[in-house]
Amino acid sequence: MPAQTLLRRTFPTIRNAHRSLSTTAPRLTSLPYSFLPANSLDPKPRTKGLTEIRGPYYAPVTKTYLDELLSDWGDYVDGIKFAGGAFSLMPEERLRGLIETAHKHNCYVSTGGFIERVLSASGGNKDVISKYLTTCKNMGFDVLELSSGFLSIPTEDWASLVEFTAAHGLKPKPEVGIQWGAGGDASVEELESAGTRDPKWLIDRANTFLQAGAYMIMIESEGITENVKAWRTDVISAVTSALPRDKIMFEAAEPDVFAYHIQNQGARANLFIDHSQIVQLACLRRGIWGTGSTFARVVTFEGAQDHGKPVSGGPSGSGGKSGEEPLIPSA
């Protein structure tokens, strides 16, 4: 068969196949280049492929900046997280403005792990903790991160705090890790001298917190991929093997780290990154760009959302109703 004839027959088939695939999954906001192939991602609100970005801390994040950022990239951002208790220093009107801006773009807002400061300053006083939780709820926060990288707290107390947080109308999100003293951006030497815990400790507590009502578990990166001489990929493997994928989120605020998670967990990994990295991660999730190890190698299957559903109509194994065209036309 002449090459030109073969090309004319093949190209329409490829184009039609892409159109057929595109109709099987919900689309993101209408894009001018939607005719180009890209990975399918679930629309918001979603439970997998979540991206949580850091808000004000290392750099100011104003209402205007956040609104502009989410107007462009809101389809790829699910949550905004404050760091270092920065929200406690903001005027109420300005803080409410930031939170309302996030909500306008269908993003949840997390307190970050400031509960550590509240616990240590109050000696764990229940009334003070309750007032803190109530104030967070009244300000419009959705998620309350429960970290304890600097604290020694009994597991049963931590689990009770999960229940106490949920009772105040907030989604509890415990942060667990293997590194003692995590969260303060300490040096490699300081963290090494502090020591690490066994991954089983992390997994056992994560399961306890999920049973107590935690909506998700944040996995602390220090001691695993942050401020270490060598990454503890064994810990990542242990965590992803033992815990539900839709209930864990990894801190990954470095391009090499979130690229590793995408490589090993796929485009629907739940990740926490810096607000400055959202474009790079979005390109990686959609499979349109990457580095030498990820370029054109990150893919999804649009039928994944139908996995486990019975096939309706048609003979067994036909994959569709009688008389329908196949999803991908034959050549």
Side-chain angles (χ1 to χ4, degrees):
M1 180 183 296
Q4 289 181 337
T5 303
L6 179 61
L7 286 173
R8 281 196 300 269
R9 292 186 179 182
T10 303
F11 282 177
T13 298
I14 294 173
R15 286 197 297 269
N16 291 336
H18 175 64
R19 288 195 190 103
S20 298
L21 282 169
S22 297
T23 62
T24 65
R27 299 295 298 272
L28 298 172
T29 301
S30 179
L31 304 174
Y33 294 92
S34 59
F35 60 89
L36 295 175
N39 290 339
S40 166
L41 295 179
D42 295 342
K44 294 166 58 174
R46 50 189 159 234
T47 59
K48 52 190 177 183
L50 297 175
T51 298
E52 183 174 291
I53 62 172
R54 178 165 40 225
Y57 188 64
Y58 293 113
V61 173
T62 66
K63 176 182 175 181
T64 301
Y65 169 77
L66 184 63
D67 192 34
E68 291 292 321
L69 177 67
L70 296 178
S71 293
D72 290 346
W73 298 98
D75 276 341
Y76 306 99
V77 178
D78 301 276
I80 316 296
K81 170 182 167 178
F82 282 82
F87 59 86
S88 67
L89 304 180
M90 294 183 66
E92 180 175 339
E93 181 182 354
R94 302 295 294 180
L95 176 57
R96 286 190 184 278
L98 269 179
I99 293 173
E100 289 168 0
T101 298
H103 288 164
K104 182 180 80 171
H105 292 278
N106 199 19
C107 294
Y108 66 79
V109 184
S110 170
T111 60
F114 194 54
I115 189 70
E116 289 193 63
R117 170 64 177 162
V118 179
L119 282 167
S120 62
S122 69
N125 183 278
K126 187 175 181 179
D127 291 337
V128 175
I129 301 300
S130 180
K131 188 172 183 179
Y132 171 65
L133 298 178
T134 299
T135 303
C136 288
K137 178 63 177 178
N138 290 341
M139 288 301 301
F141 282 100
D142 308 289
V143 174
L144 194 122
E145 189 171 298
L146 299 168
S147 58
S148 65
F150 291 115
L151 304 179
S152 174
I153 179 172
T155 301
E156 57 269 26
D157 291 23
W158 206 350
S160 294
L161 193 54
V162 169
E163 297 172 348
F164 197 53
T165 298
H168 281 74
L170 294 161
K171 292 183 177 181
K173 187 178 186 179
E175 180 185 57
V176 295
I178 63 169
Q179 180 66 60
W180 173 257
D185 199 24
S187 67
V188 173
E189 291 72 25
E190 287 177 291
L191 293 177
E192 280 187 343
S193 64
T196 58
R197 305 178 177 101
D198 189 278
K200 188 176 184 301
W201 183 96
L202 181 163
I203 293 166
D204 287 347
R205 276 144 191 80
N207 278 318
T208 297
F209 302 148
L210 289 173
Q211 292 169 11
Y215 109 98
M216 185 169 287
I217 304 294
M218 178 73 90
I219 308 299
E220 167 64 59
S221 59
E222 285 192 89
I224 300 178
T225 57
E226 181 183 357
N227 293 339
V228 290
K229 293 178 179 177
W231 288 3
R232 292 290 306 275
T233 56
D234 61 309
V235 177
I236 297 173
S237 296
V239 169
T240 55
S241 297
L243 298 174
R245 297 283 289 277
D246 62 339
K247 291 294 184 181
I248 54 175
M249 175 178 286
F250 284 88
E251 285 190 342
E254 297 176 18
D256 286 347
V257 177
F258 63 67
Y260 174 84
H261 283 295
I262 295 294
Q263 265 187 297
N264 289 274
Q265 297 183 57
R268 297 188 178 97
N270 296 329
L271 301 173
F272 166 74
I273 62 171
D274 189 69
H275 61 89
S276 63
Q277 300 163 334
I278 182 56
V279 179
Q280 189 173 358
L281 179 57
C283 291
L284 192 58
R285 285 194 192 277
R286 296 301 303 276
I288 68 165
W289 206 255
T291 61
S293 60
T294 56
F295 191 90
R297 299 181 185 182
V298 178
V299 300
T300 59
F301 171 52
E302 290 185 343
Q305 66 271 21
D306 298 321
H307 181 67
K309 295 181 181 178
V311 177
S312 60
S316 176
S318 67
K321 296 179 181 179
S322 177
E324 283 186 340
E325 292 184 3
L327 184 63
I328 303 178
S330 58

